[in-house]
């Protein structure tokens, strides 16, 4: 399977994870964390998150998925097409990323 399903899977999981309507953003305090600039990111992470709306969330997800996918697929996982045999590994990595970065 030469189609890159990871972005589609991530989008679907992100939509579900972000659809919590109980959060009241108007009364939430301003965040005190300042994210590092994209210049501090690796070239792979910059390329992976280039089209992301939320660079911080994408960066977090990349950091969680990278060791899992690098060990199972190889260090070029973010640039090569996903193979059908690797689908379950991608799903596992995306689930962990959404769990930790939500």
């Amino acid at each position: 399977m030469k189609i890159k399903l990871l972005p589609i899977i991530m989008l679907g999981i992100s939509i579900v994870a972000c659809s919590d309507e109980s959060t009241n953003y108007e009364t939430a305090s301003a965040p005190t964390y300042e994210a590092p600039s994209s210049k501090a990111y690796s070239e792979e992470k910059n390329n992976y998150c280039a089209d992301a709306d939320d660079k911080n969330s994408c960066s977090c997800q990349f950091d969680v998925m990278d060791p899992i996918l690098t060990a199972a697929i190889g260090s070029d996982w973010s640039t090569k097409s996903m193979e059908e045999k690797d689908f379950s590994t991608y799903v596992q990595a995306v689930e962990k990323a959404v769990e930790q970065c939500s």
Side-chain angles (χ1 to χ4, degrees):
M1 178 190 290
K2 297 274 179 167
I3 300 173
K4 289 190 175 184
L5 291 178
L6 184 61
I8 295 170
I9 293 169
M10 285 183 60
L11 178 62
I13 292 173
S14 295
I15 289 171
V16 171
C18 295
S19 66
D20 181 9
E21 297 176 351
S22 65
T23 305
N24 186 350
Y25 293 104
E26 294 176 12
T27 60
S29 62
T32 56
Y33 171 75
E34 186 174 326
S37 71
S38 63
K39 292 177 184 174
Y41 296 167
S42 68
E43 184 178 341
E44 291 84 8
K45 187 187 294 189
N46 281 331
N47 292 337
Y48 185 79
C49 295
D51 296 331
D53 291 334
D54 185 350
K55 302 282 189 211
N56 293 334
S57 177
C58 181
S59 172
C60 176
Q61 291 174 1
F62 184 92
D63 289 342
V64 172
M65 293 186 310
D66 186 48
I68 297 167
L69 297 175
T70 296
I73 298 167
S75 61
D76 61 344
W77 67 267
S78 65
T79 58
K80 72 179 199 176
S81 297
M82 181 177 61
E83 296 179 20
E84 189 172 347
K85 67 182 175 76
D86 298 324
F87 182 77
S88 63
T89 305
Y90 276 96
V91 170
Q92 175 192 9
V94 169
E95 287 174 346
K96 283 190 179 203
V98 169
E99 178 184 310
Q100 292 183 22
C101 298
S102 298

